[in-house]
Amino acid sequence: MNTSPPHNCKSSFLTQLFALRRRNQNTHVEPYIHDPATDAPPPPPPKDYKPSTQRPFLGEEYINEKPLLFDVDLGVLERPPRSTSLPIPVVQQIPPRIPVKAYSPPAMPLTPEEKAHRRLAAQRQAQLEKEAMLREEHERQEAKRREKLEQERLEREEEEKRKSSVARGRLQELRERKQLEKERRIQHTKEMERWRAEQMQRVESQCSEKEEERRRSVEGRRMRIARINEEVFSDSKADKMAGWVTVQPPDMLAWKRRYYKFELGHAESKMLLYGNPREVDKPLDVLPLDGQIESLAEWYEGFEELEAIPHSFALRFIDGVEWRMFADSAEEKDRLLVLLSEAAGIIL
C-alpha cells in the first residue's frame, strides 16, 4: 500500500519532465559534424496525416536511473491520461553544433636545409613587408606632399585672385577719382572763364564809365580853365599867383604842405615853395618851369596811386623828375594847372 502523501498529478508530471531535462543536459554530447542530409528540413506530411493528441510515454529507465528530488507517486504514471482539449507539446532537445578540427598528421622534424630555407623565406617575407611598408609610407608622404602642394597652389591662386580683385578695385577707384577730378577741373575752368568774362565785362563797363567820366571831367576842366584863365590874367593880381598846395618831392614818400608863389614875365618862370606866407624871404624849393616841363598828368596817365587822392595830379619834367601834388579843391587845382601851363608854355 502506498503511504506517500497524495500529490497533484499535474505537478508530479512537471517534476519528472524537469528531472529528465536536467539529465539530458548532464549526458555526454557527441561532437556535431555537419551533414547536409540530416540538416535538411523534414519532408512535408501526407495529406491524410493527423497529429496525435496523446502524450508519449517517457519510459521507466528515466525514472529508475536516478532518484528524483521529490517524492513522486509512481502510481500516478500507471493511471490513464485524462482527456484534454489541448495537446501537450513535446520538448525536443537539439544538440549544439560544435566545430570539429580537421585531422592533421603529426609534424615531422625539419632538416637544417628546410630550416635555412624557411628562415630565408621568412627573411625575404620580412624584407618584402618592410619594403611594402616603406613604399606605403613613401606613397603616403608623397600624397601628403602633393596635397600640401595642391593646398599651397589653391592658396596662391586665391591670394592672386584677391590681389587682382583689390588691384581692379583700386584701379576702378583711381579711374573714378581721376574722372571726378577731371570733372571738377572742367567745372572750375568753366567757373573761372565765366568769372573772368564777368570781370572783363565789369572792367570794360568801369573803363567805359571812367572814360565817360574822364571825358566829362576834361570838358568841364577846359571850361573852368578858360574861365579861370580870363580871371587870372585879366586882373594880373598878385594874390591870384599864390596859394596852398601839398607836394611829394621825388624820391620821398612823405607829403609836404607848402605855400607857393609864381614868378612870371621874367627871364625864367619859376614856382617858389615856402613853409608859410610869413617866411617868403628864402624859398624851401624852387621849380624852374620855362621849357622844363614835359607834361601835366592826371592819375589815369600812369599815376594810378593818385586815384584815391582827390584833386591830385603829377608834374613831369623833361629830365625824368616827377613831382606829385594835390590841391584843397577842384577850383584851386584848376587855377594851379592854369598857372603851371602858362609858366611852362604848355597848352592844356
Side-chain angles (χ1 to χ4, degrees), residues 95-322:
R97 297 182 181 182
I98 300 175
V100 179
K101 294 179 63 176
Y103 175 77
S104 59
M108 298 297 292
L110 301 176
T111 61
E113 291 79 5
E114 292 178 350
K115 291 181 179 180
H117 179 71
R118 291 192 176 185
R119 185 168 56 254
L120 291 176
Q123 292 178 357
R124 190 178 300 107
Q125 183 67 23
Q127 183 67 23
L128 292 175
E129 292 178 356
K130 185 176 180 181
E131 291 177 357
M133 291 175 61
L134 292 176
R135 185 167 55 255
E136 291 178 359
E137 181 66 20
H138 178 70
E139 292 176 357
R140 188 177 65 82
Q141 294 293 337
E142 187 68 20
K144 188 176 180 181
R145 186 183 65 83
R146 286 196 300 269
E147 183 179 357
K148 184 177 180 181
L149 292 177
E150 182 68 17
Q151 183 69 21
E152 292 178 355
R153 185 183 65 81
L154 293 177
E155 290 179 357
R156 285 197 302 270
E157 291 179 356
E158 186 69 23
E159 184 67 17
E160 290 177 358
K161 289 180 180 179
R162 187 185 65 81
K163 290 182 178 180
S164 177
S165 177
V166 171
R168 287 196 300 270
R170 290 181 178 177
L171 182 59
Q172 183 67 21
E173 183 179 357
L174 183 61
R175 289 177 180 174
E176 293 178 357
R177 189 181 303 171
K178 287 184 177 180
Q179 184 67 22
L180 290 176
E181 291 179 356
K182 183 178 179 180
E183 292 177 358
R184 282 199 298 268
R185 285 197 301 270
I186 293 174
Q187 185 68 20
H188 180 69
T189 303
K190 291 181 179 180
E191 292 178 357
M192 290 300 295
E193 290 179 355
R194 185 168 57 253
W195 178 82
R196 191 178 296 110
E198 291 177 356
Q199 291 295 324
M200 290 179 65
Q201 185 177 0
R202 186 181 297 109
V203 169
E204 290 177 358
S205 177
Q206 291 178 356
C207 290
S208 61
E209 291 177 358
K210 289 181 179 179
E211 186 67 25
E212 183 66 22
E213 182 180 357
R214 191 162 48 244
R215 187 181 60 80
R216 290 196 302 267
S217 176
V218 169
E219 292 179 358
R221 189 181 65 177
R222 285 179 180 177
M223 294 175 63
R224 289 195 304 272
I225 287 174
R227 181 176 54 81
I228 293 172
N229 193 7
E230 292 179 357
E231 292 178 356
V232 171
F233 293 104
S234 62
D235 296 340
S236 299
K237 293 181 179 180
D239 57 350
K240 300 291 185 181
M241 302 289 180
W244 288 93
V245 67
T246 304
V247 299
Q248 183 184 34
D251 302 330
M252 289 185 66
L253 296 177
W255 291 83
K256 304 295 183 179
R257 181 76 169 170
R258 294 290 183 262
Y259 179 77
Y260 68 88
K261 288 182 66 175
F262 282 90
E263 292 183 356
L264 301 177
H266 299 282
E268 184 178 357
S269 298
K270 299 177 182 180
M271 181 179 182
L272 306 176
L273 301 176
Y274 301 95
N276 53 68
R278 294 183 297 273
E279 298 176 359
V280 294
D281 296 337
K282 185 177 180 181
L284 298 177
D285 291 297
V286 178
L287 301 179
L289 301 176
D290 190 9
Q292 301 296 323
I293 301 299
E294 181 181 354
S295 64
L296 298 172
E298 294 288 338
W299 66 266
Y300 50 81
E301 295 177 350
F303 297 92
E304 282 76 11
E305 67 274 9
L306 299 177
E307 182 180 4
I309 302 175
H311 318 305
S312 60
F313 63 94
L315 187 62
R316 185 182 293 163
F317 289 84
I318 58 177
D319 56 356
V321 178
E322 296 176 350

Side-chain angles (χ1 to χ4, degrees), residues 32-85:
Y32 174 76
I33 299 176
H34 177 71
D35 188 2
T38 59
D39 290 344
K47 293 182 179 180
D48 56 351
Y49 172 76
K50 293 183 180 179
S52 176
T53 59
Q54 293 185 357
R55 207 170 34 178
F57 180 69
L58 299 177
E60 295 182 357
E61 64 274 8
Y62 295 100
I63 300 173
N64 297 327
E65 283 184 2
K66 189 174 181 180
L68 299 177
L69 296 177
F70 305 97
D71 293 335
V72 180
D73 187 4
L74 299 179
V76 177
L77 300 176
E78 297 176 359
R79 299 175 184 173
R82 296 181 180 180
S83 61
T84 58
S85 60

